[in-house]
């Protein structure tokens, strides 16, 4: 499909200053630096589709070597920031809470399920409300919460117990209300809300630890991966490590981008509608990707023989649909961000240290979808997997990842065609009584060669005609 102008590629990667002045001015280049594979520059007016933006240009380092930078986009992944690892660490702390054994046993019973992961099992147990009361009472507050005084109605008790916990945190532990969670943060399925719950629980446990009310127990060993600390890593291990590490890094990048949006709104730097034009549905993407990372890390914690790396992509294939509007909107988002960048810098956020960095973060979702099939194919090709069932499962995962990428590409193209249609409505003065809204969707935009006549076997080829556009339901070409 022809789109113009074409993608402009250079062999120069952006170099960011180590001393980022987040509030200072920055020089805007006439080109948007996309950071695709770290070395692609894209024209700001580019209308290139997703598939054409996945290859990397060659980076030519300076003669004196590569210059290290402290830019936030170059930060390495911190495993301890993932929700999976946060919950694993919290389980270790909860083992020190007097009387919490019954709740830990309920959590461990969930381990028998094939869909088990430490995040959902912990979350489900907290939703019952009673574990929160045990945690609060371990601080030995002046007025402990009596579980027997809370309604025994199974439908109402979880929320009532949660409310009592929150009330105790506010009134007795004097945690500011702006920092505390609300009942819906625990009861709903949004990971951002659950992170608030975990933060408050850890603060309560900190109080209990300061007062010496936690038990001394032997830490439970945590299996962080299939290989031991001294095991020789195979090529398969390296591919899996890259998949897991880059997934953690990607989620942290989404968190940083979401945090910029929150800062802009909290400081009233941008109106809500403008922020939405730039960040679109970043919150939903972040929530989905955290859950996907949980599945990835759960798979990574299993023995190698039990690992099925195609399954996360098969299971979450439909969930990736939330990427389509964000990726289709990316060009418009970058344009608005460029126009409003002077105001965005007022947030003094590291993601907005310069426009190239912000633009790179906005392109992260597009980059990640393009990376998944490559990683899975590498794992299939060189992962030394001989089990036919495992290979078939991995092949299905590759197919799912490629379908996700294709659908995202189609969303980009659809947005381009809709723009072209709107432009066409304005440019044509007289539609000769035709109603454009009845033409259907614009299918192609560009100049295409059409050969008319009989079949090639009959060797009767008529003169070539060129048509710039055609529609789904229109019977005639528009010249």
């Amino acid at each position: 499909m022809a789109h113009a102008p074409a993608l402009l590629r250079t062999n120069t990667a952006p170099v960011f200053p180590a001393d980022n002045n987040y509030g200072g001015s920055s020089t805007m280049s006439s080109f948007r630096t996309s950071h695709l594979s770290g070395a692609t520059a894209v024209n700001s007016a580019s209308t290139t589709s997703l598939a054409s933006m996945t290859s990397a240009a060659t980076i030519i380092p300076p003669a004196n070597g590569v210059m290290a930078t402290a830019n936030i986009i170059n930060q390495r992944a911190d495993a301890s920031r993932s929700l999976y690892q946060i919950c694993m660490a919290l389980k270790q702390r909860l083992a020190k809470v007097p009387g919490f054994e019954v709740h830990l046993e309920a959590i461990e019973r969930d381990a028998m399920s094939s869909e088990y992961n430490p995040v959902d099992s912990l979350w489900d147990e907290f939703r019952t409300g009673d574990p929160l009361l045990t945690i609060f009472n371990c601080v030995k507050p002046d007025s402990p919460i009596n579980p027997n005084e809370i309604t025994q109605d199974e439908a109402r008790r979880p929320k009532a117990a949660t409310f009592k916990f929150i009330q105790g945190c506010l009134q007795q532990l004097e945690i500011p209300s702006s920092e505390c969670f609300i009942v819906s943060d625990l009861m709903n399925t949004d990971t951002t809300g659950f992170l608030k719950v975990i933060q408050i629980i850890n603060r309560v446990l900190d109080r209990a630890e300061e007062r010496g009310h936690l038990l001394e127990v032997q830490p439970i060993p945590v299996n962080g991966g299939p290989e031991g600390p001294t095991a020789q890593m195979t090529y398969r291990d390296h591919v899996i490590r890259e998949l897991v590490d880059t997934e953690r890094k990607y989620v942290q990048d989404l968190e940083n981008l979401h945090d910029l949006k929150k800062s802009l709104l909290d400081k009233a730097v941008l109106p809500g509608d403008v922020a939405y034009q730039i960040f679109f549905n970043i919150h939903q993407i972040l929530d989905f990707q955290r859950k996907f990372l949980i599945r990835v890390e759960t798979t990574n914690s299993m023995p190698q023989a039990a690992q099925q790396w195609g399954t996360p992509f098969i299971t979450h294939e439909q969930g990736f649909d939330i990427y389509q509007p964000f990726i289709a909107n990316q060009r418009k988002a970058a344009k608005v961000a460029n126009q409003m960048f002077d105001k965005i810098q007022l947030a003094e956020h590291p993601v907005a240290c310069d426009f190239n960095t912000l633009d790179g973060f906005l392109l992260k979702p597009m980059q990640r979808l393009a990376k998944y099939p490559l990683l899975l194919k590498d794992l299939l090709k060189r992962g030394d997997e001989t089990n036919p069932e495992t290979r078939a499962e991995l092949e299905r995962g590759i197919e799912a990842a490629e379908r996700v990428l294709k659908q995202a590409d189609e969303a980009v193209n659809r947005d381009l065609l809709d723009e072209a249609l709107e432009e066409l409505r304005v440019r044509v003065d007289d539609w000769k009584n035709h109603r454009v809204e009845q033409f259907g969707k614009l299918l192609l935009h560009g100049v295409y060669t059409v050969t008319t006549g009989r079949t090639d076997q009959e060797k009767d080829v008529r003169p070539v005609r060129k048509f710039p556009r055609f529609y789904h339901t229109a019977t005639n070409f528009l010249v």
Side-chain angles (χ1 to χ4, degrees):
M1 187 173 293
H3 299 307
L7 184 67
L8 178 64
R9 300 191 181 278
T10 73
N11 62 352
T12 305
V15 178
F16 303 99
D19 53 338
N20 293 317
N21 297 318
Y22 302 142
S25 61
S26 64
T27 302
M28 295 296 171
S29 170
S30 60
F31 297 103
R32 287 178 49 231
T33 306
S34 73
H35 305 283
L36 284 170
S37 300
T40 307
V42 184
N43 188 293
S44 60
S46 173
T47 56
T48 308
S49 64
L50 175 61
S52 64
M53 300 181 71
T54 59
S55 61
T58 303
I59 302 176
I60 301 178
N64 59 347
V66 178
M67 180 182 298
T69 70
N71 191 285
I72 189 173
I73 206 169
N74 298 324
Q75 287 182 353
R76 297 183 62 181
D78 181 1
S80 65
R81 283 180 54 182
S82 77
L83 186 53
Y84 178 96
Q85 299 296 338
I86 289 172
C87 287
M88 293 296 291
L90 180 56
K91 281 182 63 178
Q92 298 271 7
R93 299 195 74 186
L94 292 174
K96 301 180 181 181
V97 176
F100 205 82
E101 299 84 359
V102 62
H103 304 299
L104 287 177
E105 290 174 0
I107 293 172
E108 292 304 320
R109 282 196 297 270
D110 289 343
M112 304 301 294
S113 169
S114 60
E115 298 298 323
Y116 164 81
N117 69 67
V119 179
D120 288 343
S121 60
L122 198 61
W123 200 342
D124 289 342
E125 186 64 19
F126 283 150
R127 284 194 182 108
T128 65
D130 289 313
L132 299 179
L133 305 183
T134 305
I135 293 170
F136 180 80
N137 288 336
C138 82
V139 182
K140 298 191 182 302
D142 295 336
S143 300
I145 301 174
N146 186 350
N148 296 325
E149 295 179 357
I150 298 176
T151 177
Q152 299 300 314
D153 186 338
E154 293 184 1
R156 297 169 53 200
R157 182 177 175 83
K159 290 185 178 180
T162 302
F163 175 77
K164 283 290 186 180
F165 173 83
I166 296 172
Q167 189 179 54
C169 291
L170 296 175
Q171 296 178 356
Q172 298 193 59
L173 303 185
E174 298 182 344
I175 296 176
S177 59
S178 60
E179 300 175 11
C180 201
F181 67 93
I182 58 178
V183 174
S184 60
D185 287 331
L186 177 60
M187 299 302 169
N188 293 342
T189 60
D190 186 89
T191 54
T192 300
F194 186 49
L195 280 170
K196 293 180 182 178
V197 175
I198 293 176
Q199 289 170 0
I200 296 301
I201 290 175
N202 274 317
R203 289 180 66 170
V204 174
L205 293 177
D206 289 341
R207 297 283 185 92
E209 189 171 22
E210 291 170 1
R211 299 178 184 182
H213 299 323
L214 296 185
L215 304 175
E216 293 294 333
V217 298
Q218 187 69 24
I220 304 172
V222 178
N223 181 16
E227 72 278 350
T230 60
Q232 181 68 32
M233 290 186 65
T234 64
Y235 186 86
R236 177 186 185 277
D237 295 332
H238 283 288
V239 174
I240 292 174
R241 171 173 288 185
E242 181 182 1
L243 172 60
V244 175
D245 287 350
T246 55
E247 189 66 23
R248 289 170 177 163
K249 174 68 168 72
Y250 173 53
V251 171
Q252 290 171 26
D253 288 338
L254 291 177
E255 289 174 341
N256 290 331
L257 190 60
H258 182 265
D259 188 64
L260 171 60
K261 176 186 177 182
K262 185 175 182 298
S263 297
L264 292 172
L265 295 177
D266 289 346
K267 297 179 180 180
V269 173
L270 290 180
D273 59 335
V274 176
Y276 180 76
Q277 292 177 46
I278 298 173
F279 300 98
F280 222 62
N281 61 337
I282 188 64
H283 182 88
Q284 288 76 17
I285 292 176
L286 172 59
D287 180 59
F288 168 80
Q289 210 63 41
R290 281 184 180 138
K291 294 173 181 176
F292 184 76
L293 176 58
I294 292 168
R295 188 64 180 265
V296 168
E297 294 200 85
T298 301
T299 302
N300 189 47
S301 68
M302 297 176 178
Q304 178 175 331
Q307 292 179 355
Q308 293 184 321
W309 286 104
T311 299
F313 298 89
I314 298 170
T315 305
H316 291 82
E317 181 178 355
Q318 290 186 345
F320 278 104
D321 289 347
I322 61 172
Y323 274 81
Q324 295 175 22
F326 184 92
I327 291 177
N329 182 68
Q330 192 276 329
R331 295 173 303 105
K332 299 175 185 176
K335 182 178 180 180
V336 174
N338 200 344
Q339 294 170 347
M340 305 296 294
F341 191 69
D342 288 343
K343 291 185 177 180
I344 293 174
Q345 280 194 307
L346 297 177
E348 297 184 341
H349 195 283
V351 172
C353 63
D354 57 56
F355 177 71
N356 284 338
T357 299
L358 174 57
D359 190 34
F361 273 94
L362 291 173
L363 279 164
K364 288 289 183 179
M366 183 183 295
Q367 295 172 337
R368 193 58 185 167
L369 293 191
K371 186 70 173 177
Y372 286 138
L374 302 179
L375 288 169
L376 293 181
K377 287 179 180 178
D378 203 18
L379 186 60
L380 178 65
K381 182 179 179 181
R382 303 180 62 182
D384 300 326
E385 184 57 63
T386 57
N387 188 315
E389 293 183 0
T390 303
R391 291 184 65 87
E393 181 268 344
L394 190 54
E395 288 172 350
R396 291 195 300 272
I398 293 172
E399 293 170 358
E402 288 181 333
R403 283 193 297 269
V404 168
L405 182 60
K406 180 181 178 182
Q407 290 167 1
D409 192 18
E410 291 173 350
V412 174
N413 291 333
R414 179 73 267 154
D415 187 69
L416 294 171
L417 292 171
D418 289 344
E419 282 188 7
L421 175 58
E422 188 59 33
E423 179 187 0
L424 186 62
R425 291 177 189 269
V426 177
R427 291 178 60 186
V428 176
D429 294 328
D430 185 4
W431 282 95
K432 304 297 183 183
N433 296 324
H434 291 292
R435 300 182 64 181
V436 182
E437 60 272 14
Q438 295 181 350
F439 285 2
K441 293 288 187 179
L442 183 63
L443 299 182
L444 290 176
H445 174 220
V447 178
Y448 299 89
T449 301
V450 179
T451 303
T452 61
R454 286 174 287 180
T455 63
D456 290 339
Q457 287 79 3
E458 295 175 343
K459 305 298 182 183
D460 183 8
V461 180
R462 297 184 181 179
V464 171
R465 299 179 62 194
K466 294 185 178 180
F467 303 94
R469 303 172 177 87
F470 70 91
Y471 293 82
H472 180 64
T473 58
T475 56
N476 297 321
F477 292 105
L478 289 173
V479 181

